[in-house]
Amino acid sequence: KNTLWFIERPEKFDLFLRPEVYLLGTSSSQKDDQMEEHSRQELLEEYFSSSGVGAPQLEGNIWLKADSKKSWKKFYFVLRTSGLYYAPKGKKSSKDLVCLTTFDVNQVYYGVGWKNKYKAPTDFCFGIK
């Protein structure tokens, strides 16, 4: 049985309200300072304009379960503007990364109640189709 859930998520706009929290590196001197509105606009334009530096690369461990597998396995992932990449053999070097998905042809879905339904190791789940 398919169910649609409509959830109000005010934090989805937080990147645009406080871009300094997400877009400044950890070594930046302005990381914990409050920015003025025009500085925030310049920071957003720098990251998201066509001539800008692009969105920051994020990396870390994510649990993965393929359709054909019964168990979840933790992999090292890298989120880039070009797609979501992972290291299938547990190595963290960029030459060992394999593209799991690109976002120009796939959609990402937020999983509600998947911890019980799919025996996920965490409540925070998403699916790629």
Side-chain angles (χ1 to χ4, degrees):
K1 180 178 174 183
N2 292 332
T3 305
L4 289 177
W5 292 76
F6 296 97
I7 302 172
E8 186 174 337
R9 308 223 13 155
E11 68 273 9
K12 69 183 177 184
F13 300 110
D14 200 39
L15 168 68
F16 302 103
L17 297 174
R18 300 181 307 143
E20 65 275 9
V21 173
Y22 302 97
L23 302 178
L24 291 178
T26 55
S27 61
S28 174
S29 61
Q30 293 179 317
K31 178 74 173 167
D32 296 322
D33 295 342
Q34 287 286 355
M35 295 182 84
E36 294 180 10
E37 186 60 33
H38 75 278
S39 298
R40 287 186 175 128
Q41 289 298 325
E42 288 175 0
L43 183 60
L44 287 170
E45 287 175 18
E46 178 184 343
Y47 271 88
F48 296 111
S49 70
S50 60
S51 61
V53 296
Q57 178 175 298
L58 300 173
E59 55 188 64
N61 292 317
I62 298 178
W63 291 92
L64 176 67
K65 180 184 175 290
D67 284 339
S68 61
K69 305 288 182 184
K70 290 187 176 184
S71 64
W72 293 82
K73 189 171 179 185
K74 190 184 279 191
F75 290 97
Y76 174 75
F77 277 83
V78 177
L79 177 63
R80 297 178 178 160
T81 54
S82 59
L84 185 61
Y85 299 83
Y86 76 105
K89 299 187 175 153
K91 298 179 182 177
K92 292 186 179 182
S93 66
S94 61
K95 65 180 178 163
D96 296 324
L97 294 176
V98 176
C99 182
L100 178 68
T101 185
T102 58
F103 301 118
D104 55 348
V105 294
N106 295 304
Q107 295 180 331
V108 178
Y109 298 91
Y110 176 71
V112 177
W114 286 6
K115 185 169 184 174
N116 294 332
K117 184 175 182 178
Y118 297 110
K119 296 178 178 58
T122 178
D123 285 324
F124 306 102
C125 299
F126 64 92
I128 301 169
K129 185 174 180 183

